[in-house]
Amino acid sequence: QARLYSLQILMVTDRPQEAIAIRVTELVALAAGCLLGPALLPAAIGAWMARLVAATPLDIWLVRRAIGLSAAGQLRSLAVPALATAAMVAGALALGALLGGAVPPVLRLLLQVAVGAAVYVLSLHLVRHQLLWHARAMVRSLAAGGARGAATAASPAERGH
């Protein structure tokens, strides 16, 4: 959740100048993207991505300074959505390449959106299911180890105390 709450965290911790630094970084990246490329969709997407790439490290560093939350702590929750997003993009691009010009652009877009959304949801389900399965196995293992440890440990009365 690195980008989601960073501006609010900086404002609450009385660091508005640092919140402004993030916005200036984003604005510079967006302006560069708009000036360097024609006003086409790929240039707009590139400028938007450049904004994120430029401002995210600054966000992470400033939040760490403001409240002490490490970069790993800020990024940990992004692994599952990042995997699902990568799968979604791959599925939508693969379908677009497969369909090519054989399908009208509007229909191709609708199909790519539908397939991308389905792949995203399925990926989230599969990854979270695997994570849940691993978490259950770990809890069971810890519980079994804890139960064995408790069963083999002598009580204070048994130790003569």
Side-chain angles (χ1 to χ4, degrees):
Q1 308 299 340
R3 302 251 331 135
L4 190 57
Y5 299 113
S6 61
L7 294 174
Q8 291 84 351
I9 289 170
L10 294 172
M11 296 301 284
V12 167
T13 57
D14 199 27
R15 299 167 188 251
Q17 69 281 4
E18 293 174 359
I20 292 170
I22 292 169
R23 289 297 186 212
V24 167
T25 303
E26 291 176 337
L27 181 61
V28 168
L30 282 171
C34 291
L35 294 174
L36 296 176
L40 297 173
L41 182 59
I45 292 170
W48 195 257
M49 292 305 300
R51 174 193 72 90
L52 291 173
V53 169
T56 297
L58 181 60
D59 267 347
I60 292 170
W61 179 66
L62 292 174
V63 167
R64 181 181 171 93
R65 272 188 31 190
I67 63 172
L69 184 59
S70 70
Q74 294 178 54
L75 297 174
R76 188 172 299 121
S77 64
L78 298 177
V80 171
L83 289 172
T85 300
M88 174 188 70
V89 168
L93 290 176
L95 180 63
L98 180 69
L99 296 175
V103 177
V106 172
L107 179 58
R108 186 175 64 232
L109 176 63
L110 290 173
L111 291 171
Q112 284 180 284
V113 167
V115 166
V119 168
Y120 184 82
V121 170
L122 181 63
S123 298
L124 279 180
H125 176 71
L126 291 174
V127 171
R128 288 203 172 146
H129 179 72
Q130 283 295 99
L131 291 175
L132 183 59
W133 187 81
H134 286 298
R136 280 188 213 150
M138 186 176 72
V139 168
R140 286 181 185 144
S141 173
L142 290 172
R148 277 195 301 272
T152 59
S155 69
E158 293 172 323
R159 286 182 279 160
H161 292 123

XYZ file of all heavy atoms in Angstrom, residues 10-80:
515
model
N 1.891 11.669 5.390
C 2.766 12.833 5.464
C 2.026 14.063 5.983
O 2.597 14.858 6.729
C 3.401 13.103 4.103
C 4.364 12.000 3.639
C 4.806 12.249 2.209
C 5.558 11.889 4.568
N 0.766 14.205 5.624
C 0.003 15.352 6.116
C -0.271 15.219 7.615
O -0.138 16.186 8.367
C -1.311 15.492 5.341
C -1.117 15.795 3.856
S -0.202 17.309 3.530
C -1.464 18.498 3.883
N -0.644 14.028 8.055
C -0.959 13.803 9.468
C 0.278 13.963 10.346
O 0.185 14.407 11.482
C -1.600 12.406 9.655
C -1.659 11.995 11.106
C -2.991 12.401 9.050
N 1.438 13.594 9.800
C 2.675 13.715 10.576
C 3.321 15.091 10.391
O 4.498 15.266 10.671
C 3.671 12.603 10.208
O 3.936 12.655 8.803
C 3.144 11.240 10.604
N 2.534 16.039 9.927
C 2.953 17.430 9.780
C 4.167 17.589 8.859
O 5.137 18.250 9.186
C 3.237 18.050 11.160
C 3.228 19.578 11.099
O 2.533 20.124 10.219
O 3.919 20.209 11.923
N 4.081 16.966 7.678
C 5.129 17.053 6.675
C 4.537 17.411 5.309
O 4.748 16.700 4.337
C 5.879 15.728 6.590
C 6.563 15.335 7.873
C 7.006 13.885 7.816
N 7.498 13.450 9.084
C 8.770 13.207 9.343
N 9.678 13.360 8.418
N 9.134 12.816 10.541
N 3.780 18.511 5.223
C 3.135 18.843 3.949
C 4.138 19.133 2.834
O 3.855 18.868 1.671
C 2.290 20.068 4.274
C 2.937 20.664 5.477
C 3.501 19.504 6.251
N 5.318 19.648 3.173
C 6.322 19.933 2.148
C 6.789 18.655 1.461
O 7.087 18.652 0.272
C 7.505 20.714 2.735
C 8.379 19.944 3.707
C 7.808 19.814 5.119
O 6.692 20.231 5.401
N 8.596 19.227 6.007
N 6.809 17.547 2.182
C 7.205 16.285 1.578
C 6.089 15.738 0.684
O 6.357 15.121 -0.342
C 7.606 15.287 2.653
C 8.883 15.722 3.362
C 9.267 14.858 4.539
O 8.534 13.897 4.853
O 10.301 15.145 5.151
N 4.840 15.976 1.062
C 3.722 15.588 0.204
C 3.770 16.387 -1.098
O 3.499 15.849 -2.176
C 2.394 15.810 0.928
N 4.150 17.642 -0.995
C 4.277 18.475 -2.192
C 5.411 17.954 -3.076
O 5.292 17.928 -4.303
C 4.493 19.958 -1.801
C 3.214 20.499 -1.158
C 4.911 20.790 -3.008
C 3.366 21.865 -0.521
N 6.503 17.486 -2.478
C 7.616 16.940 -3.257
C 7.171 15.748 -4.093
O 7.601 15.588 -5.243
C 8.759 16.546 -2.322
N 6.300 14.917 -3.542
C 5.787 13.771 -4.290
C 4.965 14.259 -5.484
O 5.123 13.774 -6.610
C 4.945 12.858 -3.383
C 5.839 12.180 -2.341
C 4.187 11.820 -4.202
C 5.069 11.477 -1.237
N 4.090 15.213 -5.254
C 3.244 15.730 -6.336
C 4.075 16.418 -7.419
O 3.774 16.306 -8.608
C 2.183 16.689 -5.788
C 1.115 15.987 -4.994
C 0.358 15.022 -5.871
N -0.749 14.474 -5.132
C -1.227 13.280 -5.297
N -0.717 12.489 -6.196
N -2.233 12.853 -4.587
N 5.114 17.149 -7.025
C 5.988 17.807 -8.011
C 6.696 16.747 -8.857
O 6.797 16.882 -10.080
C 6.996 18.752 -7.321
C 8.089 19.195 -8.274
C 6.267 19.960 -6.744
N 7.173 15.681 -8.220
C 7.830 14.593 -8.955
C 6.868 13.988 -9.972
O 7.234 13.738 -11.123
C 8.322 13.511 -7.976
O 9.201 14.113 -7.032
C 9.037 12.389 -8.704
N 5.627 13.745 -9.548
C 4.623 13.200 -10.463
C 4.349 14.157 -11.623
O 4.244 13.732 -12.774
C 3.324 12.928 -9.707
C 3.420 11.798 -8.720
C 2.146 11.627 -7.911
O 1.363 12.598 -7.775
O 1.925 10.518 -7.419
N 4.216 15.437 -11.314
C 3.916 16.438 -12.338
C 5.041 16.524 -13.363
O 4.782 16.598 -14.565
C 3.673 17.806 -11.689
C 3.324 18.947 -12.637
C 2.028 18.643 -13.379
C 3.199 20.248 -11.866
N 6.285 16.496 -12.908
C 7.418 16.547 -13.830
C 7.408 15.333 -14.755
O 7.609 15.459 -15.973
C 8.755 16.647 -13.052
C 9.946 16.408 -13.948
C 8.863 18.007 -12.376
N 7.160 14.157 -14.196
C 7.120 12.946 -15.019
C 5.978 13.006 -16.030
O 6.152 12.634 -17.200
C 6.990 11.713 -14.131
N 4.809 13.466 -15.603
C 3.679 13.589 -16.528
C 3.957 14.620 -17.618
O 3.663 14.386 -18.791
C 2.410 13.962 -15.770
C 1.723 12.842 -15.022
C 0.598 13.393 -14.145
C 1.177 11.803 -15.979
N 4.517 15.765 -17.231
C 4.817 16.811 -18.212
C 5.847 16.310 -19.230
O 5.693 16.537 -20.436
C 5.332 18.059 -17.511
N 6.868 15.613 -18.760
C 7.875 15.073 -19.676
C 7.240 14.087 -20.645
O 7.537 14.107 -21.848
C 9.002 14.399 -18.884
N 6.366 13.237 -20.151
C 5.693 12.280 -21.026
C 4.835 12.959 -22.069
O 4.782 12.525 -23.222
N 4.170 14.022 -21.675
C 3.308 14.743 -22.619
C 4.127 15.512 -23.656
O 3.743 15.600 -24.824
C 2.397 15.707 -21.873
S 1.145 14.857 -20.887
N 5.265 16.054 -23.236
C 6.092 16.839 -24.153
C 6.924 15.962 -25.090
O 7.185 16.338 -26.223
C 7.023 17.761 -23.366
C 6.334 18.868 -22.578
C 7.352 19.625 -21.732
C 5.602 19.824 -23.508
N 7.339 14.799 -24.610
C 8.217 13.944 -25.402
C 7.474 13.067 -26.398
O 8.051 12.616 -27.369
C 9.067 13.067 -24.483
C 10.040 13.822 -23.570
C 10.755 12.856 -22.648
C 11.038 14.619 -24.392
N 6.207 12.816 -26.156
C 5.473 11.924 -27.047
C 4.258 12.605 -27.628
O 3.754 13.568 -27.067
N 3.791 12.101 -28.756
C 2.564 12.670 -29.310
C 1.387 12.338 -28.403
O 1.466 11.458 -27.566
C 2.434 11.965 -30.667
C 3.211 10.697 -30.508
C 4.307 10.994 -29.525
N 0.324 13.068 -28.577
C -0.854 12.888 -27.715
C -1.621 11.640 -28.124
O -2.764 11.699 -28.544
C -1.735 14.123 -27.775
N -0.973 10.503 -27.991
C -1.601 9.224 -28.303
C -1.723 8.414 -27.026
O -1.059 8.688 -26.023
C -0.766 8.453 -29.324
C -0.608 9.126 -30.687
C 0.377 8.337 -31.540
C -1.953 9.218 -31.393
N -2.545 7.395 -27.073
C -2.769 6.556 -25.915
C -1.469 5.958 -25.355
O -1.242 6.027 -24.148
C -3.779 5.460 -26.241
C -4.150 4.535 -25.088
C -4.751 5.312 -23.932
C -5.119 3.470 -25.572
N -0.577 5.401 -26.174
C 0.663 4.850 -25.603
C 1.497 5.896 -24.874
O 2.089 5.613 -23.834
C 1.411 4.291 -26.817
C 0.345 4.000 -27.812
C -0.693 5.074 -27.598
N 1.546 7.110 -25.399
C 2.305 8.167 -24.729
C 1.655 8.524 -23.390
O 2.345 8.756 -22.398
C 2.406 9.404 -25.612
N 0.333 8.561 -23.356
C -0.369 8.864 -22.106
C -0.137 7.761 -21.081
O 0.114 8.029 -19.902
C -1.863 9.044 -22.371
N -0.197 6.512 -21.527
C 0.059 5.391 -20.622
C 1.495 5.453 -20.115
O 1.761 5.265 -18.924
C -0.232 4.047 -21.329
C -1.718 3.908 -21.600
C 0.285 2.869 -20.500
C -2.074 2.739 -22.502
N 2.421 5.726 -21.009
C 3.826 5.840 -20.620
C 4.054 6.956 -19.613
O 4.799 6.787 -18.641
N 3.414 8.095 -19.828
C 3.561 9.211 -18.888
C 2.984 8.852 -17.523
O 3.567 9.178 -16.488
C 2.867 10.464 -19.447
N 1.852 8.167 -17.516
C 1.235 7.768 -16.251
C 2.127 6.778 -15.509
O 2.313 6.876 -14.298
C -0.149 7.183 -16.506
C -0.972 7.079 -15.270
C -1.228 5.956 -14.549
C -1.616 8.143 -14.579
N -2.009 6.253 -13.460
C -2.260 7.605 -13.457
C -1.717 9.516 -14.810
C -2.978 8.373 -12.570
C -2.448 10.273 -13.925
C -3.073 9.702 -12.828
N 2.689 5.836 -16.238
C 3.595 4.860 -15.617
C 4.873 5.543 -15.130
O 5.383 5.212 -14.069
C 3.930 3.728 -16.596
C 2.747 2.826 -16.912
S 1.971 2.099 -15.452
C 3.319 1.183 -14.779
N 5.396 6.479 -15.913
C 6.603 7.206 -15.504
C 6.350 7.969 -14.204
O 7.220 8.038 -13.337
C 7.042 8.163 -16.613
N 5.163 8.498 -14.068
C 4.792 9.201 -12.833
C 4.883 8.253 -11.643
O 5.439 8.589 -10.595
C 3.377 9.753 -12.976
C 2.808 10.373 -11.717
C 1.311 10.608 -11.863
N 0.556 9.379 -11.819
C 0.067 8.827 -10.703
N 0.267 9.401 -9.546
N -0.613 7.710 -10.748
N 4.329 7.047 -11.810
C 4.370 6.072 -10.718
C 5.792 5.625 -10.407
O 6.192 5.537 -9.248
C 3.507 4.858 -11.052
C 2.005 5.084 -11.089
C 1.303 3.842 -11.607
C 1.490 5.461 -9.721
N 6.549 5.359 -11.458
C 7.924 4.890 -11.275
C 8.773 5.974 -10.606
O 9.592 5.676 -9.741
C 8.526 4.451 -12.628
C 10.023 4.220 -12.518
C 7.816 3.205 -13.132
N 8.550 7.216 -10.979
C 9.340 8.308 -10.406
C 8.948 8.611 -8.962
O 9.808 8.883 -8.125
C 9.182 9.570 -11.263
N 7.663 8.566 -8.649
C 7.206 9.007 -7.329
C 7.166 7.900 -6.276
O 7.256 8.200 -5.084
C 5.824 9.645 -7.450
N 7.053 6.646 -6.666
C 6.924 5.577 -5.672
C 8.133 5.468 -4.749
O 7.958 5.372 -3.532
C 6.601 4.230 -6.356
O 5.331 4.363 -7.003
C 6.527 3.105 -5.348
N 9.360 5.471 -5.265
C 10.497 5.413 -4.324
C 10.520 6.594 -3.351
O 10.849 6.434 -2.175
C 11.727 5.429 -5.232
C 11.238 4.953 -6.547
C 9.814 5.414 -6.652
N 10.139 7.758 -3.841
C 10.063 8.928 -2.968
C 8.991 8.736 -1.908
O 9.208 9.023 -0.722
C 9.782 10.180 -3.805
C 9.704 11.508 -3.059
C 11.021 11.811 -2.348
C 9.344 12.626 -4.021
N 7.838 8.223 -2.300
C 6.763 7.899 -1.352
C 7.269 6.970 -0.254
O 7.055 7.213 0.930
C 5.621 7.157 -2.069
C 4.526 8.056 -2.573
O 4.486 9.227 -2.176
O 3.707 7.566 -3.349
N 7.895 5.900 -0.672
C 8.360 4.882 0.278
C 9.363 5.482 1.246
O 9.281 5.262 2.463
C 8.937 3.670 -0.487
C 7.806 2.942 -1.214
C 9.688 2.735 0.456
C 8.283 1.893 -2.194
N 10.305 6.231 0.725
C 11.346 6.832 1.576
C 10.739 7.826 2.566
O 11.075 7.821 3.751
C 12.389 7.500 0.690
C 13.485 8.168 1.453
C 14.433 7.566 2.243
C 13.735 9.562 1.522
N 15.260 8.512 2.786
C 14.850 9.754 2.354
C 13.125 10.671 0.950
C 15.373 11.010 2.626
C 13.653 11.915 1.220
C 14.762 12.080 2.062
N 9.819 8.669 2.094
C 9.230 9.682 2.974
C 8.325 9.055 4.040
O 8.302 9.521 5.184
C 8.466 10.721 2.151
C 9.350 11.622 1.276
C 8.496 12.518 0.386
C 10.306 12.449 2.125
N 7.574 8.014 3.686
C 6.742 7.330 4.685
C 7.634 6.654 5.724
O 7.342 6.681 6.918
C 5.781 6.327 4.018
C 5.141 5.404 5.033
C 4.710 7.086 3.245
N 8.732 6.064 5.276
C 9.669 5.449 6.229
C 10.199 6.503 7.197
O 10.282 6.270 8.401
C 10.813 4.759 5.492
C 11.776 4.089 6.445
C 12.924 3.418 5.687
N 13.934 2.975 6.597
C 13.995 1.762 7.115
N 13.077 0.880 6.822
N 14.971 1.439 7.933
N 10.560 7.660 6.679
C 11.049 8.744 7.546
C 9.961 9.242 8.487
O 10.228 9.564 9.637
C 11.543 9.918 6.701
C 12.973 9.794 6.302
C 13.523 11.025 5.645
N 12.935 12.272 6.099
C 13.134 13.435 5.520
N 13.897 13.510 4.455
N 12.573 14.524 5.966
N 8.726 9.301 7.989
C 7.637 9.870 8.781
C 7.183 8.937 9.898
O 6.971 9.387 11.031
C 6.454 10.212 7.877
N 7.014 7.643 9.609
C 6.454 6.743 10.627
C 7.292 5.492 10.871
O 6.900 4.641 11.673
C 5.001 6.340 10.284
C 4.924 5.550 8.980
C 4.096 7.552 10.268
C 3.555 4.962 8.706
N 8.416 5.350 10.166
C 9.302 4.226 10.425
C 8.906 2.917 9.776
O 9.514 1.888 10.059
N 7.921 2.919 8.890
C 7.493 1.692 8.223
C 8.469 1.390 7.088
O 8.664 2.195 6.191
C 6.077 1.854 7.673
C 5.438 0.642 7.021
C 5.358 -0.532 8.003
C 4.054 0.997 6.517
N 9.094 0.217 7.148
C 10.114 -0.147 6.172
C 9.525 -0.277 4.770
O 8.308 -0.435 4.600
C 10.758 -1.474 6.558
O 9.834 -2.528 6.385
N 10.420 -0.262 3.785
C 9.987 -0.453 2.400
C 9.329 -1.821 2.238
O 8.290 -1.944 1.592
C 11.172 -0.308 1.447
N 9.916 -2.839 2.847
C 9.332 -4.188 2.760
C 7.936 -4.203 3.379
O 7.018 -4.814 2.837
C 10.235 -5.200 3.447
N 7.776 -3.532 4.497
C 6.470 -3.457 5.143
C 5.440 -2.749 4.284
O 4.262 -3.114 4.282
N 5.878 -1.738 3.547
C 4.962 -1.002 2.682
C 4.612 -1.789 1.424
O 3.507 -1.664 0.900
C 5.588 0.329 2.263
C 5.780 1.293 3.420
C 6.434 2.579 2.972
O 5.955 3.228 2.051
N 7.529 2.946 3.617
N 5.524 -2.611 0.948
C 5.321 -3.313 -0.323
C 4.808 -4.740 -0.171
O 4.369 -5.339 -1.141
C 6.632 -3.328 -1.111
C 7.153 -1.958 -1.525
C 8.522 -2.083 -2.153
C 6.184 -1.273 -2.471
N 4.884 -5.286 1.031
C 4.532 -6.692 1.257
C 3.151 -7.057 0.717
O 2.962 -8.083 0.086
C 4.620 -7.007 2.742
C 4.464 -8.475 3.067
C 4.745 -8.760 4.537
N 6.112 -8.390 4.872
C 6.444 -7.496 5.815
N 5.504 -6.896 6.509
N 7.691 -7.213 6.058
N 2.183 -6.217 0.949
C 0.818 -6.547 0.548
C 0.578 -6.407 -0.955
O -0.497 -6.744 -1.441
C -0.175 -5.667 1.302
O 0.026 -4.312 0.934
N 1.572 -5.945 -1.687
C 1.395 -5.748 -3.125
C 1.752 -6.982 -3.954
O 1.475 -7.017 -5.150
C 2.258 -4.574 -3.600
C 1.919 -3.222 -2.983
C 2.892 -2.167 -3.487
C 0.498 -2.829 -3.289
N 2.339 -8.016 -3.356
C 2.804 -9.169 -4.132
C 1.662 -9.886 -4.849
O 1.750 -10.164 -6.052
C 3.556 -10.132 -3.226
N 0.603 -10.189 -4.136
C -0.506 -10.932 -4.745
C -1.188 -10.113 -5.847
O -1.361 -10.615 -6.961
C -1.509 -11.405 -3.666
C -2.762 -11.980 -4.299
C -0.847 -12.434 -2.761
